[in-house]
Amino acid sequence: LGMLANCRIPLVSRFIVRRLAAEESGYGPLLARLTDAPPADHGWMLEEVVTALKQRSSLPMPEAWKRCYEVLSQSADETIRQQAEFVAVKFGDERVLPALRKTLADRGLPVERRRLALDSLLAARDSGTPEILITLFDDQALSTASVQALASFD
């Protein structure tokens, strides 16, 4: 983490963050650094965290994530908020589930945003999701996806 603070090469900085995010022992310090980083750095740092976590299944939530999520979820940047939701799901942070359910059910939102919410809810194995999926059977954009998703629940 000390190398990250002194690094002047953006690509190397990205690799340092991704490497830290790939190891459980790196989560706490990395998330604390992300929380305290200038907002201009949130995007690229979170992007590398997401890249590292995509390959992992559910993970134990580091203590530093609670504060980090509070900061990231207030971002004006929609992409940062979406990536924070993804990380929250990976860490089993249930605070994000109600907002994801609301996004999935909102037919006025872009379909891609709703699909991302569905993917996150499926990854979280959210018990409130089947109820919403049933209401989407007549939604032309998500009817097939909702039937397939419902089949994945017991």
Side-chain angles (χ1 to χ4, degrees):
L1 199 57
M3 289 175 27
L4 180 61
N6 298 320
C7 187
R8 302 287 179 243
I9 303 170
L11 185 59
V12 174
S13 295
R14 284 179 167 272
F15 287 142
I16 292 169
V17 169
R18 190 180 308 175
R19 178 69 179 130
L20 285 168
E23 300 290 329
E24 281 187 39
S25 62
Y27 296 159
L30 175 59
L31 294 172
R33 171 80 170 94
L34 175 58
T35 302
D36 295 332
D41 290 344
H42 289 170
W44 72 264
M45 290 181 77
L46 191 55
E47 191 175 290
E48 296 305 323
V49 170
V50 166
T51 298
L53 296 182
K54 278 184 179 176
Q55 306 304 317
R56 314 263 328 246
S57 57
S58 61
L59 305 162
M61 187 185 334
E63 186 63 34
W65 174 247
K66 293 176 184 173
R67 185 168 161 255
C68 188
Y69 180 74
E70 292 300 323
V71 170
L72 297 174
S73 67
Q74 300 302 314
S75 175
D77 186 329
E78 175 75 15
T79 301
I80 289 175
R81 291 193 311 269
Q82 288 177 359
Q83 290 175 327
E85 288 174 351
F86 172 84
V87 175
V89 168
K90 286 291 189 174
F91 287 144
D93 188 346
E94 294 185 0
R95 294 178 294 176
V96 72
L97 298 179
L100 289 171
R101 285 186 218 117
K102 183 177 178 184
T103 298
L104 176 59
D106 188 344
R107 295 174 189 230
L109 291 175
V111 173
E112 188 55 37
R113 176 69 181 112
R114 294 172 66 210
R115 284 186 194 276
L116 288 172
L118 175 59
D119 291 344
S120 293
L121 290 164
L122 290 175
R125 304 291 302 154
D126 175 50
S127 63
T129 300
E131 179 180 318
I132 297 167
L133 293 173
I134 293 169
T135 69
L136 299 177
F137 287 172
D138 66 344
D139 184 329
Q140 185 176 9
L142 290 176
S143 61
T144 301
S146 62
V147 170
Q148 291 170 339
L150 190 59
S152 73
F153 285 91
D154 293 333

